[in-house]
Every structure is written in structure tokens, then in C-alpha cells.
Amino acid sequence: MRIGVILASHGEFALAALGAVEMIAGKQQDVVALGLTAEKSLETFEAEMREAYETLDAECDLVVTICDIYGGTPFNVTTRCLLNGMDMVAYTGLSMPVVVELLLTRDGLDSVDAVRAQLTAAHAGAQQEILAPVVAADDEDDLDL
């Protein structure tokens, strides 16, 4: 199953996230990052989303959209696209762990349910508390990260 991905955010977040993910996972095909900037109208952003969807839908078996926050403009545009018949899997919570997980595993995902399960698991594991041992002042030389 060939999976296309749209990343949508406020500002340049989606573009920067894709760039950072490509440092880890290499150059990615079938991925479009869209940013809603102060200079861009809602109509322009929605047209970009529509164009990205149509391009990916023509080449891919499934399109997955991940936008930054629930209730924000990228979310609203994504919802409007769904309501207008664009057949895609859509999630909020754009983050590097989720995007890395999706891009590194998408070639092995063979159904919409598998994509949903992978995204749900990635979201659940994305936030982890960092616990570091307390080091005494005289033991600082022993701290090796």
C-alpha cells in the first residue's frame, strides 16, 4: 500500500518538522508540508491542501493528513476537506515522533486499520518523561551522557 502524507500546521512548523524528520529518515517521497502563515489567506491554504490531496491521491492508495492542533485553522481546513469528500485518514498532534514512526513504517502498513493503529500507538508513546539520576556535586566527572 502506497501512503501519501500531508503535514499541516500554523506557521512553518510542518515544513520544519519534515526537514527535521528527513535528517533522521532521509528524503521522503509522497509527503507534502503545508504551513498557514500570516501572509496566507484561508482560501489559499485550503487550495494548497486540496492540491496536495489531489496530487497524492492520484499516486497513492491512501492519503494521511496530520495537522498540528485540534480546533485550529489547519484542523478546520482538514475537516472541511473530509466533509467535501476527500477520502483520507486525518489526525491532529503533529510531532516528530509521530511523523518519524509513520514514515519509517508506512511501507509495511497494508490497510487503513493498520495505519490508524500505528498512528494511535505513535501518539500514545510520543510523550515520555525524562528521568535522570541525581548526581552529587563531587561526582560530576562521572556523568557520561
Side-chain angles (χ1 to χ4, degrees):
M1 171 181 256
R2 188 170 168 187
I3 299 171
V5 178
I6 299 171
L7 307 177
S9 71
H10 293 84
E12 303 294 330
F13 179 59
L15 300 164
L18 178 58
V21 167
E22 286 183 334
M23 287 181 66
I24 296 167
K27 183 73 177 147
Q28 296 295 306
Q29 300 298 314
D30 301 324
V31 180
V32 178
L34 303 174
L36 176 63
T37 60
E39 302 80 32
K40 194 178 293 182
S41 71
L42 173 65
E43 292 77 18
T44 300
F45 186 75
E46 189 167 353
E48 289 176 354
M49 175 74 82
R50 191 176 315 106
E51 181 181 340
Y53 172 81
E54 290 170 358
T55 298
L56 292 171
D57 188 52
E59 298 293 325
C60 300
D61 302 305
L62 177 67
V63 176
V64 175
T65 298
I66 306 175
C67 59
D68 54 2
I69 58 174
Y70 185 90
T73 302
F75 165 87
N76 292 332
V77 168
T78 300
T79 301
R80 191 178 313 187
C81 290
L82 288 167
L83 291 171
N84 286 322
M86 293 182 196
D87 185 24
M88 64 176 129
V89 172
Y91 279 79
T92 61
L94 176 61
S95 69
M96 278 190 62
V98 171
V99 177
V100 167
E101 183 71 21
L102 177 61
L103 295 182
L104 291 179
T105 63
R106 65 181 164 159
D107 289 342
L109 301 174
D110 59 1
S111 70
V112 173
D113 288 339
V115 171
R116 287 185 173 116
Q118 190 69 16
L119 285 168
T120 299
H123 274 283
Q127 184 179 23
Q128 301 288 325
E129 182 179 7
I130 300 172
L131 299 173
V134 176
V135 178
D138 59 345
D139 290 340
E140 284 186 32
D141 292 338
D142 296 333
L143 185 61
D144 187 21
L145 301 177

